[in-house]
Amino acid sequence: MALTLGTGSLALLTLGVATTLMVSERPVHDSSGPGQDLIAPEVPAGLAARLVDGSGDEVSLSWNANRSDPDLAGYIVYRSEHPEGGYAAITTDPVRTNAFIDRGAPAGGDCFYRIAARDVARNESALSELTGVRTLASPEEPDVATGTLQAGF
C-alpha cells in the first residue's frame, strides 16, 4: 500500500507479522493518478579525469555512483575548453555507469568536464564540480620522403 502526501509518500509493507513503514521524499506515481515527477536527482560528486594510458587525447572520467535516486536513468557528460563556462553535452543518451571515456577530446589543449544526473522523467541535476586535464598534441606524421619522424619539441 502506498499513500502520497504532498511531495512525499508513505509505503506500508507487511511481511509476515512485522510491519515496516517507509517514508520517501519522492512521490510515488502510478497509472491511477496524474502525478508528474519534477524532482531532479542529486548532483554527482567525486568527478575525476585522467588521460587514457597510451593515448594523449582520450580522457577517462569517473565519479561516485548515485545510489540515492531509484529512478536514475544515468549521467550526461559535459565538456568545455574553459573552466568558467561554455559546457556542451558530449553524450546524448545518459551514461548508465559511473565512468566514461571521451574519445573525442581535442588534442593539445585543456579540457574541463562536469556531469549531471538524469532520471527517467528527464529531470536533470545541476552540474557537478569541474575537473580538468590537458591533452597531448597529436604526434606528427613521419616524413615519407626521408623516413624520419619529427618530434615537434
Side-chain angles (χ1 to χ4, degrees), residues 2-148:
L3 174 66
T4 300
L5 301 170
T7 61
S9 65
L10 297 173
L12 184 62
L13 299 176
T14 304
L15 305 170
V17 293
T19 301
T20 305
L21 179 65
M22 298 185 325
V23 178
S24 172
E25 290 294 321
R26 289 187 174 271
V28 174
H29 301 290
D30 57 28
S31 59
S32 66
Q36 182 179 0
D37 180 3
L38 300 174
I39 301 171
E42 288 187 28
V43 177
L47 179 61
R50 66 174 183 79
L51 290 177
V52 172
D53 292 339
S55 171
D57 60 356
E58 291 184 351
V59 179
S60 175
L61 301 168
S62 62
W63 55 90
N64 299 336
N66 181 329
R67 301 195 192 289
S68 64
D69 293 300
D71 62 342
L72 184 72
Y75 306 91
I76 304 298
V77 179
Y78 291 84
R79 179 180 65 216
S80 176
E81 293 181 16
H82 309 283
E84 61 278 350
Y87 289 88
I90 60 171
T91 56
T92 53
D93 294 323
V95 175
R96 300 187 71 164
T97 65
N98 62 322
F100 177 77
I101 296 179
D102 181 7
R103 291 181 174 25
D110 292 330
C111 293
F112 297 93
Y113 296 90
R114 298 175 86 178
I115 57 171
R118 182 182 286 174
D119 66 18
V120 295
R122 299 190 57 84
N123 297 311
E124 197 167 295
S125 74
L127 293 177
S128 69
E129 293 292 323
L130 70 90
T131 189
V133 67
R134 177 167 287 176
T135 59
L136 304 176
S138 297
E140 291 191 33
E141 297 296 320
D143 182 346
V144 186
T146 64
T148 62

